[in-house]
Amino acid sequence: MTSEATIKATASRIGGTGHYVPEKVVTNTDLSAMVDTSDQWIRERTGIVERRIAGEGESTSDMAAEAARRALDHAGLDPQEVDLVLVATVTPDRPLPSTAIFVHRALGLRHDCAAFDLAAACAGFIYGISIGNQYICNGAARNVLVIGVELLSRVMDWSDRNTCVLFGDGAGAVVLSPSTEPHHGALLSTHLFADGTLADSLTIRAGGSQQPTNYETVQNALHFVHMDGREIFKFAVRALASASSAAIEANGVSADEVDWVVPHQANLRILDGVSKRCGVPIERFFINIDKYGNTSSASVPIALDEAVRAGLVKSGQLVLMCALGGGIAWGSAMLRW
Ligand code: UT7
C-alpha cells in the first residue's frame, strides 16, 4: 500500500468479479445416506439441492487465490497493481498467519501490498467491501481485492442433520478500484450492524483461546459448527429486510428502482420473507442456493459473479447486496453497476 497520499476518489466501484467452487458435488440424496434426512425436507425447508465440497488437498487459500485470479483477469488488472488484500473467512487455513498472507504468496503480490483477514461470518464480504471502500476513498489504496471464502465442510459435524445439510465450500472475489464514472459503476452505500447478545446462536465453541483444543473438546465435538437455526431464522428475516430498507432509504430510491438483489444464500424462505418486507419482488433476487447451499462469506460474491457473467446485471443498474450470519453480524451495500 502506498505510504504517500494518492488522489482521493469520491467513490469506489467493482471493476471485476470472480469465483471458484470445488469440483465435487454432494447431493441431498447423497446426504440422506449419511444422516436421517431427505431430499424433500432439504429442498422444501431450505431450497438447497446440492453443494460443493473441497477435495482433500484443497485449502481455503487455494480457493481464495483462484477466485482472486479470475476477478483480476475480469478487471484486466495485473496482480502487481493490487494494493490491499482482504480475506473474509471464518475457516482460515491456520490460526496464524492470516489466510490473506497465503493468498498474497500464491498471487506473488508486492511487499507494499497489505494483506489481512476479517471475521464477520456470512456478513464478511459486505464488511470487506465497506473496509476496502474506505481505503480507496481516503487515497491509501487504488486497487483492493476483497475475497469471501469458506471451507465449511472441515468444521461440519457430518453426523448432525441440523447443520451438515446446509453448508458448502467456495470462494468469491471482487476488485474494488476508484470510480471514474459514478453513473456506470459506484459503491453508493454500506450499512453494517452487529448484535453480540446472540453470539452463541451460531458458533464453533472450541479450538480458540476461550476453550483450547483438548481430548474432551474433541470427544464432545465442540470444534464443529453449532447453530440454533430457528432463532437465527426469525432474526434474519427482520434484520436483512431492515438493512436492505436502510440502503434503499439512504440512497433516496424506491424498492421499485432496485434492479437486482444479490443476497446471502442461507435459506430460500428467508429470502421470501425479506422480499415481502422490503418490497423488492423475489423475481429480482439472484438465487443460486440450489447449487451451492450456504457458503457463508463466499455466497454474495459467488452470486454476484454468476449474475454479472450471465449478463443479468447491466451497466447503470442498481444492485443491492445483503448478508447476515454468526455474531450476529449483518449488513447491506448498494451499488450502481
Ligand atoms: O448463514 C448464517 C445464518 N444461518 C441461517 O440463516 C439459517 C437460519 N435457519 C434456517 O434456515 C432454518 O431454521 C433451518 C433450515 C436450519 C431449519 O429449518 P426449520 O424450518 O427452522 O426447522 P426446525 O429447526 O424448526 O426443525 C423442524 C423439524 C425438527 O423436527 P421436530 O422437532 O419437528 O420433530 C427437526 O428435528 O425438522 C427436523 N430437522 C430435519 N429433518 C430432516 C432438522 N433438520 C433436518 C434435516 N432433515 N436435515
Side-chain angles (χ1 to χ4, degrees):
M1 223 158 39
T2 174
S3 55
E4 288 166 30
T6 54
I7 298 165
K8 293 183 187 180
T10 50
S12 61
R13 62 185 275 270
I14 292 179
T17 61
H19 83 272
Y20 170 83
V21 288
E23 256 174 55
K24 187 178 176 191
V25 176
V26 173
T27 65
N28 293 344
T29 309
D30 294 334
L31 290 177
S32 65
M34 294 162 62
V35 287
D36 181 16
T37 191
S38 65
D39 178 45
Q40 190 188 357
W41 190 96
I42 303 170
R43 274 178 202 248
E44 287 179 4
R45 305 311 290 169
T46 70
I48 300 166
V49 177
E50 58 189 39
R51 70 286 293 142
R52 300 299 181 97
I53 301 296
E56 236 173 68
E58 213 162 17
S59 69
T60 301
S61 63
D62 292 337
M63 296 196 295
E66 191 49 38
R69 279 185 201 103
R70 293 174 188 186
L72 285 168
D73 192 47
H74 193 218
L77 281 182
D78 188 276
Q80 297 307 310
E81 293 175 87
V82 177
D83 302 305
L84 172 64
V85 183
L86 298 174
V87 175
T89 189
V90 289
T91 47
D93 280 12
R94 304 180 192 172
L96 177 75
S98 69
T99 300
I101 286 297
F102 289 113
V103 172
H104 192 287
R105 181 169 77 182
L107 298 180
L109 303 180
R110 300 189 327 256
H111 287 176
D112 63 348
C113 167
F116 63 92
D117 288 1
L118 70 107
C122 308
F125 177 73
I126 304 286
Y127 271 61
I129 60 170
S130 174
I131 297 168
N133 180 54
Q134 310 296 330
Y135 275 88
I136 289 171
C137 290
N138 72 18
R142 275 190 78 74
N143 300 310
V144 180
L145 254 179
V146 183
I147 306 168
V149 57
E150 302 294 356
L151 212 164
L152 291 157
S153 62
R154 304 259 163 88
V155 291
M156 278 301 125
D157 180 347
W158 288 100
S159 65
D160 176 14
R161 70 176 185 175
N162 291 302
T163 50
C164 77
V165 304
L166 304 174
F167 296 96
D169 301 332
V174 301
V175 184
L176 282 179
S177 302
S179 167
T180 45
E181 278 185 85
H183 294 297
H184 297 281
L187 178 60
L188 302 177
S189 67
T190 56
H191 288 80
L192 306 182
F193 306 92
D195 180 350
T197 62
L198 292 172
D200 289 326
S201 303
L202 179 43
T203 185
I204 296 175
R205 294 193 189 99
S209 60
Q210 199 182 53
Q211 227 178 330
T213 305
N214 61 33
Y215 180 73
E216 218 169 280
T217 61
V218 174
Q219 283 287 97
N220 294 324
L222 299 183
H223 302 84
F224 296 130
V225 168
H226 164 86
M227 180 171 76
D228 182 343
R230 233 176 272 189
E231 173 112 49
I232 306 245
F233 188 101
K234 281 186 281 175
F235 192 97
V237 174
R238 284 197 310 270
L240 285 170
S242 76
S244 300
S245 298
I248 290 169
E249 278 161 33
N251 287 290
V253 295
S254 69
D256 240 18
E257 291 172 79
V258 175
D259 295 292
W260 286 106
V261 178
V262 180
H264 173 46
Q265 318 271 326
N267 190 315
L268 202 47
R269 290 182 296 132
I270 293 179
L271 300 183
D272 262 325
V274 174
S275 157
K276 289 192 179 89
R277 280 176 181 244
C278 74
V280 182
I282 194 73
E283 295 72 34
R284 290 196 221 148
F285 281 55
F286 183 83
I287 293 168
N288 62 4
I289 190 173
D290 51 322
K291 293 193 292 181
Y292 306 127
N294 181 346
T295 57
S296 186
S297 64
S299 89
V300 172
I302 291 175
L304 181 67
D305 186 43
E306 287 201 332
V308 167
R309 287 179 192 252
L312 297 172
V313 178
K314 298 187 171 56
S315 178
Q317 286 190 328
L318 263 190
V319 179
L320 172 62
M321 306 191 284
C322 57
L324 173 142
I328 287 178
W330 71 102
S332 65
M334 184 80 93
L335 297 162
R336 176 72 67 189
W337 197 256

